[in-house]
Each structure stands twice: as C-alpha cells, then as structure tokens.
Amino acid sequence: MRARLQVGERVLKLQMELRHRVQELEQAVAQVQQLRGLLPICVHCKKIRDDRNYWHQVENYITAHSSAEFTHSICSLVL
C-alpha cells in the first residue's frame, strides 16, 4: 500500500513539473512569435508599444524579449 502511495505521489509530482515546463515553453513561443510579428513603433520617438499599451525604448524592449544586447556609438552622419 505504501509503495503504491509513493508511486502515486511521484506521478503527481512529475505531472506538476511537466505542466510547469509546458507553461514555460508556451511563454517562450509567445515571445518568439511576438518578435517575429509586427512591432507597433512610434514614428516620432521610435518607442515600441507592448501588449499592455505601455511604451518602451527600442533597446529596452528588445533586450527584455530576446538575448540581444546593445552597444552604442555615434555614426559618421552626425559629425
């Protein structure tokens, strides 16, 4: 009887872990799809609007939604 209870507990624990991993994968897929889709960007200030209608700097938005990192410099056209 104890062995069966232990097996049942183990099965429940594995199901919960699997459910958690599936949720993580679904979130990752949603982020990838969001980055592949159209990004609403302000013509004037170049900020990106998220799904909750908040505006973010391009660098901050992309850094938060991908593994990209930004460095900055000045192009020769400004000089």
Side-chain angles (χ1 to χ4, degrees):
M1 177 79 116
R2 279 191 188 154
R4 287 185 180 183
L5 287 175
Q6 290 174 344
V7 168
E9 288 175 348
R10 177 80 176 137
V11 168
L12 288 175
K13 182 180 176 184
L14 289 171
Q15 286 176 339
M16 289 173 52
E17 288 177 17
L18 181 60
R19 186 178 303 124
H20 179 70
R21 301 237 177 176
V22 167
Q23 288 174 346
E24 288 177 344
L25 288 173
E26 287 173 344
Q27 290 173 351
V29 167
Q31 287 181 349
V32 167
Q33 288 175 342
Q34 183 177 12
L35 288 176
R36 284 184 19 190
L38 296 175
L39 292 175
I41 188 166
C42 175
V43 173
H44 178 69
C45 69
K46 307 297 184 205
K47 289 184 178 179
I48 296 176
R49 188 180 69 228
D50 66 14
D51 294 336
R52 294 177 287 172
N53 285 331
Y54 292 108
W55 292 93
H56 304 275
Q57 294 290 341
V58 172
E59 297 90 344
N60 295 341
Y61 183 88
I62 293 175
T63 300
H65 292 87
S66 72
S67 60
E69 295 181 16
F70 287 86
T71 61
H72 292 84
S73 63
I74 297 175
C75 71
S76 61
L77 295 177
V78 176
L79 301 174

